[in-house]
């Protein structure tokens, strides 16, 4: 796979397919981004979060987060279809989210979304980048550790559908 920059867009080429990584525009539909969130959560957290919670997730649940002006959104596009997304907070240096439709996982697209997210945060003066990971999400921990994120020692407890879930803070510092 090769990656090249084209006018603030990154293109990932594999055979005849092109994946474009770019900032969300007003033309991108909230429901398309929300679908990525919902399907990704149902896939990635099936052994971490309660089934009853995951089954209730709908595209609608994510619309409020996607419309949140505090978040800057990045999208991955394949053939005109949104297949991945990342959200960052430029005000506090946080990677809020990075998700792909399940059948795109493991193809290097998440890597490119993360590179774009980190680049955007650094470009906006963030020398310390944070993110939160569910304690039992070993796949995510491995992914973020490849970027040199390290567990900060901070954790928080949240309840979802009656189940206590620990989220751990990871930090990338220059």
């Amino acid at each position: 796979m090769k990656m090249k920059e084209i006018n603030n867009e990154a293109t990932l080429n594999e055979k005849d397919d092109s994946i474009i990584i770019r900032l969300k525009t007003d033309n991108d539909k909230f429901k398309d981004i929300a679908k990525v969130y919902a399907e990704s959560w149902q896939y990635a957290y099936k052994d971490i979060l309660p089934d009853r919670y995951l089954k209730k997730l709908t595209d609608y649940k994510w619309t409020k987060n996607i419309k949140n002006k505090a978040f800057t959104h990045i999208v991955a596009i394949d053939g005109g279809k949104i297949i991945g997304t990342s959200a960052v907070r430029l005000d506090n240096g946080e990677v809020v989210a990075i998700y792909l439709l399940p059948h795109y996982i493991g193809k290097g697209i998440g890597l490119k979304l993360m590179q774009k997210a980190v680049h955007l945060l650094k470009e906006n003066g963030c020398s310390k980048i944070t993110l939160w990971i569910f304690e039992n999400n070993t796949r995510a921990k491995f992914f973020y550790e490849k970027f040199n994120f390290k567990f900060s020692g901070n954790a928080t407890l949240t309840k979802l559908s009656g189940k206590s879930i620990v989220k751990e803070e990871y930090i990338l510092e220059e």
Side-chain angles (χ1 to χ4, degrees):
M1 268 186 233
K2 294 183 179 177
M3 191 78 173
K4 60 183 179 179
E5 286 285 330
I6 302 175
N7 299 330
N8 198 28
E9 294 182 354
T11 305
L12 182 67
N13 296 314
E14 183 178 334
K15 299 181 184 176
D16 296 330
D17 298 284
S18 291
I19 306 292
I20 297 171
I21 309 292
R22 62 165 171 75
L23 293 176
K24 178 189 146 323
T25 69
D26 291 339
N27 294 329
D28 294 322
K29 295 180 181 152
F30 290 115
K31 68 179 180 106
D32 294 340
I33 298 170
K35 177 183 173 162
V36 172
Y37 276 96
E39 288 187 23
S40 181
W41 268 62
Q42 289 166 341
Y43 174 81
Y45 303 139
K46 66 180 175 259
D47 296 325
I48 298 170
L49 301 178
D51 285 340
R52 68 178 177 259
Y53 178 81
L54 292 173
K55 286 178 183 174
K56 288 193 283 184
L57 290 179
T58 62
D59 301 353
Y60 176 77
K61 183 223 183 289
W62 304 106
T63 304
K64 180 179 165 189
N65 288 347
I66 297 164
K67 289 182 177 180
N68 186 334
K69 298 290 185 195
F71 299 165
T72 299
H73 295 276
I74 301 164
V75 292
I77 311 285
D78 183 16
K81 176 183 173 186
I82 295 175
I83 54 95
T85 188
S86 180
V88 299
R89 289 191 55 166
L90 301 176
D91 62 334
N92 69 0
E94 181 181 4
V95 176
V96 178
I98 180 166
Y99 295 109
L100 291 167
L101 291 174
H103 63 277
Y104 286 92
I105 293 171
K107 298 183 179 190
I109 302 163
L111 176 76
K112 299 306 177 188
L113 276 169
M114 190 62 186
Q115 287 172 335
K116 182 79 170 176
V118 168
H119 176 76
L120 184 61
L121 289 167
K122 286 182 177 181
E123 188 176 65
N124 282 276
C126 300
S127 58
K128 175 179 153 186
I129 300 172
T130 63
L131 53 85
W132 291 85
I133 305 171
F134 290 122
E135 177 184 47
N136 296 333
N137 193 346
T138 54
R139 176 187 286 162
K141 287 180 181 184
F142 178 74
F143 176 79
Y144 294 122
E145 286 168 356
K146 286 195 290 189
F147 283 91
N148 293 319
F149 278 87
K150 304 220 180 318
F151 178 49
S152 70
N154 295 328
T156 185
L157 186 65
T158 189
K159 282 199 177 218
L160 295 173
S161 293
K163 182 177 180 182
S164 294
I165 307 286
V166 175
K167 292 192 320 187
E168 299 175 336
E169 181 186 45
Y170 275 64
I171 296 177
L172 174 65
E173 294 183 280
E174 289 190 27

